């Protein structure tokens, strides 16, 4: 700021022009702060919306994952049961064949020995 006493050296016009520029700078600074505040509010709103969106979708994704994992576990149990049943069936067939073979072998020995 120039004092009016210095007008004799710089001139009143230069002092008034400087004051006008200073006032315009203050207005621009206030505008900048207002815009920054508005933008900060928008950013916070977007962040809040994103967090809410993420929370909602995270819950849905977790629910779907849990349902999928439960279904896969159920399918694995079903397959394991089928494998166990088939294994038992094959074991029974093996035992039956062994018994038949032993009976055939005994008959063949008896016939050879007779």
């Amino acid at each position: 700021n120039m004092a009016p006493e210095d007008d004799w050296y710089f001139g009143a016009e230069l002092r008034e022009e400087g004051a006008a520029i200073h006032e315009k700078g203050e207005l621009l600074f206030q505008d900048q702060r207002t815009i920054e505040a508005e933008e900060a509010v928008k950013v916070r709103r977007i962040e809040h919306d994103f967090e809410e969106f993420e929370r909602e979708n995270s819950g849905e994704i977790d629910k779907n994952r849990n349902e999928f994992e439960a279904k896969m576990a159920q399918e694995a149990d079903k397959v394991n049961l089928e494998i166990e049943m088939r294994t038992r069936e094959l074991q029974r067939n093996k035992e039956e064949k062994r018994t038949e073979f032993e009976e055939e072998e005994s008959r063949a020995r008896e016939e050879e020995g007779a």
Side-chain angles (χ1 to χ4, degrees):
N1 283 343
M2 282 182 13
E5 299 87 52
D6 294 334
D7 282 353
W8 66 269
Y9 182 76
F10 296 106
E13 185 179 320
L14 186 61
R15 178 179 50 79
E16 291 169 359
E17 185 180 332
I21 290 173
H22 179 72
E23 189 176 320
K24 185 175 180 181
E26 287 293 322
L27 291 174
L28 288 173
F29 180 70
Q30 289 175 4
D31 288 347
Q32 178 184 4
R33 287 183 29 186
T34 301
I35 291 170
E36 287 174 351
E38 290 172 354
E39 293 303 315
V41 168
K42 288 179 184 178
V43 167
R44 280 193 298 275
R45 187 178 311 125
I46 290 170
E47 288 173 346
H48 176 266
D49 291 347
F50 173 73
E51 289 170 1
E52 185 177 322
F53 173 79
E54 187 176 41
R55 196 170 33 252
E56 288 173 4
N57 285 340
S58 177
E60 187 174 332
I61 288 170
D62 289 344
K63 177 185 163 221
N64 289 341
R65 179 182 295 122
N66 291 338
E67 288 174 358
F68 176 75
E69 288 174 356
K71 183 178 178 182
M72 293 306 295
Q74 189 177 25
E75 289 292 321
D77 290 345
K78 180 180 173 185
V79 168
N80 287 334
L81 180 61
E82 290 173 358
I83 289 171
E84 187 176 329
M85 290 173 59
R86 180 68 176 144
T87 302
R88 288 181 184 176
E89 180 185 345
L90 291 173
Q91 288 289 1
R92 273 195 315 272
N93 288 344
K94 179 181 169 185
E95 291 299 320
E96 288 173 6
K97 292 291 181 186
R98 180 177 297 169
T99 304
E100 286 177 18
F101 178 74
E102 289 173 356
E103 289 172 0
E104 288 284 329
E105 195 175 53
S106 291
R107 266 187 261 149
R109 283 188 197 146
E110 286 176 12
E111 287 177 5
E112 282 181 15

